[in-house]
């Protein structure tokens, strides 16, 4: 059996995004980047509460949502485990040319004085343009 996953949730209380959705989004991001793989155990609700000072019911709500989407499964008395990954998985986590090029671009934008929100806005706009007419599955 795989050990506990090396995922740490970070909650941004000023984001305007519901806390449970932040956990769902961060879990999905970890699945896409290959940080989480099938068989990995998510941190227990208690571990997440200790690290983030949020209500345990919020963690459980996030885990139920991930379970509803078929991404994780709860095993009574053992914890919550990853069932499947998303996207490119481990391929996105390794040092690929595209990842390196994007990292270089982020460094250049930061050197030019752009902040996180500026970069995020541009990236979102370009993604929306590239995938116009497509829906998220």
């Amino acid at each position: 059996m795989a050990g506990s996953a090396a995922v740490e949730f970070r909650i941004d209380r000023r984001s305007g995004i519901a806390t449970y959705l932040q956990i769902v989004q961060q879990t999905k991001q970890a699945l896409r980047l290959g940080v989480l793989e099938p068989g990995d155990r998510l941190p227990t609700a208690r571990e997440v509460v200790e690290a983030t000072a949020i209500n345990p019911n919020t963690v459980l709500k996030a885990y139920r949502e991930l379970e509803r989407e078929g991404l994780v499964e709860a095993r009574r008395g053992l914890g919550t485990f990853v069932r499947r990954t998303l996207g490119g998985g481990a391929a996105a986590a390794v040092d690929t040319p595209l990842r390196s090029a994007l990292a270089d671009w982020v460094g250049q934008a930061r050197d030019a004085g752009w902040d996180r929100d500026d970069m995020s806005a541009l990236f979102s706009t370009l993604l929306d343009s590239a995938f116009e007419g497509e829906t998220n599955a």
Side-chain angles (χ1 to χ4, degrees):
M1 175 182 306
S4 193
V7 62
E8 294 179 21
F9 298 114
R10 285 167 281 141
I11 305 304
D12 182 356
R13 289 171 170 65
R14 296 174 293 157
S15 71
I17 299 172
T19 303
Y20 88 96
L21 285 178
Q22 291 183 49
I23 293 172
V24 169
Q25 290 171 346
Q26 290 173 29
T27 302
K28 287 180 175 180
Q29 184 175 354
L31 291 169
R32 289 190 187 284
L33 295 176
V35 174
L36 289 174
E37 297 180 349
D40 284 343
R41 183 177 65 82
L42 294 181
T44 64
R46 182 178 185 170
E47 291 168 336
V48 176
V49 168
E50 288 175 1
T52 61
I54 61 174
N55 187 308
N57 289 329
T58 301
V59 180
L60 297 175
K61 183 175 181 179
Y63 285 7
R64 280 194 304 271
E65 177 63 20
L66 291 164
E67 189 170 9
R68 187 190 65 74
E69 294 183 27
L71 298 173
V72 302
E73 64 181 335
R75 296 180 192 162
R76 186 176 295 270
L78 297 176
T80 302
F81 293 82
V82 174
R83 289 187 66 198
R84 66 180 178 91
T85 189
L86 289 171
V94 297
D95 193 23
T96 63
L98 284 175
R99 184 184 178 105
S100 295
L102 185 57
D104 289 344
W105 180 86
V106 169
Q108 292 171 10
R110 194 167 184 180
D111 290 345
W114 290 37
D115 67 17
R116 176 187 296 262
D117 291 337
D118 294 336
M119 289 184 242
S120 181
L122 176 61
F123 195 71
S124 292
T125 300
L126 292 173
L127 280 176
D128 290 344
S129 177
F131 291 96
E132 187 175 337
E134 295 182 24
T135 59
N136 289 334

